[in-house]
Amino acid sequence: TLKGVFYQRAKLIHPQEDLLKGFHPEDRKHHIIINVGGIKYLLPWTTLDEFPLTRLGQLKFCTNFDDILNICDDYDVTCNEFFFDRNPGAFRTILTFLRVGKLRLLREMCALSFQEELLYWGIEEENLDWCCKRRYLQKMEELTEINEREDDLIENETTGETVEETQIGLCMKKLQDMVERPQSGLPGKVFACLSVLFVTITAVNLSISTMPDLREEEEKGECSQMCYNIFIVESVCVAWFSLEFLLRFIQAKSKFAFLRRPLTLIDIIAILPYYITLLVDTTSVGYKKPSSGSIYLDKVGLVLRILRALRILYVMRLARHSLGLQTLGLTARRCTREFGLLLLFLCVAIALFAPLLYVIENEMADSQEFTSIPACYWWAVITMTTVGYGDMVPRSIPGQVVALSSILSGILLMAFPVTSIFHTFSRSYIELKQEQERIMYR
């Protein structure tokens, strides 16, 4: 950069400087004074020639006093000073853009306010430097999500207020408060507690059903009293989940939007296996394909075991009532780039250390534990993630040096994105907590 380029293209006028002293009328042909929030700058007209579409650039084309007032808030003819009642802090970034064409985002400024300043001064968001543009777009995405949730909440409230005060309307309003807003009153809290209780019972019931004795009975086709009790408990829990799903579906104003929600899809995937298992059990009892032998029954048993394993998805339903799980899901959605970087780092390191260790161990070690490079990939994964099962261990000194390098690299690579993910988690938790407080306040 040339020396003095900032001073030549824009100069800050200190408060003690006398503007009228030494002022000549012909100077207005070369310079203008911009007063933004009480802070004054001296700009040559040549600085604005490169930005004719901005608000300041349009001042040069004004021919009368009315045109000037359409662009700025006030104008002093004596010293050719234009007044703008805007944020002086944000104008510093605008002034830097006019000086050298670099637009930066202030870290302490709200993204929405900065967007309004850009719209006011007529500067496009595409002019943001790449280092600030990603942070700006991330802030705007988070703000858009918050506004969408606020709009949905306000729309639901206004729709509920405009509904005709009939008996059905009042019942639907109470039903919505009970199933969607646990903080609305005693029915909502009881409903939420019952939902969490049945999820807990289902998880315990699923764990008990995998005991060796019960599995032996299942393989033999027998059913003891314990097995029958487990089936009864599971049926009661699924009945409650089905009732809960129907109540949420009935009170939803947009059925299609309700079915597209992630938590709704989890409910469907968790409930359907029970009914499919009943259907398969009913159709397979006493039925056997004539030419299939035991292969058909083996396939049916495999399908049943897979469907029963899907019951673990009931635990995901706790996200409806847990602010921590909701924060975890929101953080995972916002940190896809960081997770992608972490996966990329690990893949590159694994692709580097696995072949290197394979070559060293096959050349210098007596025992051939590392039979192939794909087998070394497994070793690299558990080593870099510091799990270390010990099923594959390098024996030679160079191999142990490579293992130590992979361990240290894994620790460093895993730590790189953690700071960004932590800040996103903290910010998401604060947003969801504030939203919950706003709902309780309403």
Side-chain angles (χ1 to χ4, degrees), residues 119-168:
L119 292 175
Y120 178 81
W121 296 108
I123 297 176
E124 297 181 355
E125 300 175 359
E126 286 73 15
N127 294 315
L128 274 169
D129 285 358
W130 66 270
C131 58
C132 298
K133 191 171 185 178
R134 178 173 173 264
R135 183 157 50 92
Y136 172 77
L137 294 177
Q138 183 180 5
K139 291 284 187 180
M140 295 307 299
E141 289 176 0
E142 296 175 2
L143 184 64
T144 302
E145 293 178 0
I146 295 175
N147 290 335
E148 288 178 356
R149 290 196 293 265
E150 286 286 335
D151 293 340
D152 294 339
L153 182 62
I154 294 175
E155 182 180 356
N156 293 335
E157 291 180 352
T158 54
T159 305
E161 292 174 357
T162 55
V163 172
E164 185 178 359
E165 295 296 329
T166 60
Q167 193 69 22
I168 298 178

Side-chain angles (χ1 to χ4, degrees), residues 33-297:
I33 297 175
I34 304 297
N35 188 329
V36 181
I39 301 178
K40 302 177 183 180
Y41 303 92
L42 183 66
L43 274 72
W45 282 113
T46 55
T47 302
L48 304 178
D49 289 341
E50 300 178 9
F51 309 97
L53 299 180
T54 61
R55 180 176 289 269
L56 292 178
Q58 296 175 8
L59 292 175
K60 192 172 183 179
F61 304 101
C62 296
T63 57
N64 53 52
F65 191 75
D66 293 334
D67 293 340
I68 294 177
L69 291 183
N70 288 332
I71 296 177
C72 62
D73 296 314
D74 201 359
Y75 174 62
D76 189 354
V77 183
T78 57
C79 56
N80 200 29
E81 183 176 356
F82 299 88
F83 297 90
F84 294 89
D85 189 15
R86 304 299 297 184
N87 187 348
F91 185 73
R92 294 203 311 267
T93 62
I94 307 299
L95 188 63
T96 303
F97 177 70
L98 298 177
R99 282 169 164 173
V100 291
K102 293 184 178 295
L103 185 61
R104 301 291 172 84
L105 175 62
L106 293 176
R107 187 174 295 273
E108 67 274 6
M109 188 173 184
C110 173
L112 182 60
S113 299
F114 186 74
Q115 184 187 43
E116 293 176 353
E117 294 295 327
L118 292 180
L119 292 175
Y120 178 81
W121 296 108
I123 297 176
E124 297 181 355
E125 300 175 359
E126 286 73 15
N127 294 315
L128 274 169
D129 285 358
W130 66 270
C131 58
C132 298
K133 191 171 185 178
R134 178 173 173 264
R135 183 157 50 92
Y136 172 77
L137 294 177
Q138 183 180 5
K139 291 284 187 180
M140 295 307 299
E141 289 176 0
E142 296 175 2
L143 184 64
T144 302
E145 293 178 0
I146 295 175
N147 290 335
E148 288 178 356
R149 290 196 293 265
E150 286 286 335
D151 293 340
D152 294 339
L153 182 62
I154 294 175
E155 182 180 356
N156 293 335
E157 291 180 352
T158 54
T159 305
E161 292 174 357
T162 55
V163 172
E164 185 178 359
E165 295 296 329
T166 60
Q167 193 69 22
I168 298 178
L170 293 175
C171 292
M172 293 299 294
K173 183 65 171 58
K174 293 180 180 179
L175 179 62
Q176 183 181 14
D177 291 338
M178 182 182 69
V179 300
E180 295 293 344
R181 304 187 184 98
Q183 302 86 3
S184 60
L186 182 61
K189 293 179 180 179
V190 172
F191 187 85
C193 292
L194 287 177
S195 181
V196 174
L197 177 62
F198 277 105
V199 170
T200 306
I201 293 175
T202 301
V204 175
N205 192 56
L206 178 61
S207 302
I208 296 176
S209 65
T210 58
M211 299 294 290
D213 297 339
L214 296 177
R215 292 193 62 184
E216 290 179 3
E217 294 178 359
E218 181 182 357
E219 292 176 357
K220 295 177 182 179
E222 302 175 355
C223 184
S224 62
Q225 185 63 33
M226 183 69 175
C227 178
Y228 182 74
N229 294 335
I230 290 176
F231 175 75
I232 295 297
V233 172
E234 182 183 0
S235 301
V236 173
C237 293
V238 173
W240 167 261
F241 296 144
S242 303
L243 175 63
E244 182 180 353
F245 178 81
L246 290 177
L247 292 178
R248 294 183 186 277
F249 182 78
I250 291 173
Q251 62 84 30
K253 296 179 174 60
S254 176
K255 311 299 182 185
F256 182 71
F258 171 77
L259 294 176
R260 290 179 55 188
R261 295 178 183 174
L263 290 178
T264 303
L265 297 177
I266 292 176
D267 288 345
I268 296 175
I269 297 175
I271 294 173
L272 279 182
Y274 174 81
Y275 296 103
I276 296 176
T277 302
L278 284 182
L279 181 62
V280 173
D281 286 339
T282 304
T283 55
S284 62
V285 171
Y287 174 73
K288 183 177 180 181
K289 287 188 176 181
S291 61
S292 61
S294 62
I295 299 177
Y296 175 73
L297 294 179

Side-chain angles (χ1 to χ4, degrees), residues 348-418:
V348 171
I350 289 169
L352 175 64
F353 288 111
L356 183 60
L357 186 73
Y358 172 76
V359 173
I360 293 176
E361 286 298 304
N362 278 271
E363 294 294 334
M364 304 186 66
D366 297 332
S367 61
Q368 302 296 325
E369 297 186 16
F370 300 89
T371 57
S372 64
I373 292 181
C376 293
Y377 286 156
W378 168 250
W379 170 86
V381 169
I382 63 175
T383 301
M384 296 197 65
T385 54
T386 65
V387 177
Y389 290 143
D391 50 351
M392 301 170 66
V393 181
R395 304 297 179 180
S396 62
I397 299 299
Q400 294 175 356
V401 172
V402 172
L404 177 62
S405 302
S406 64
I407 292 173
L408 296 178
S409 301
I411 294 174
L412 293 176
L413 294 179
M414 296 285 286
F416 284 155
V418 167

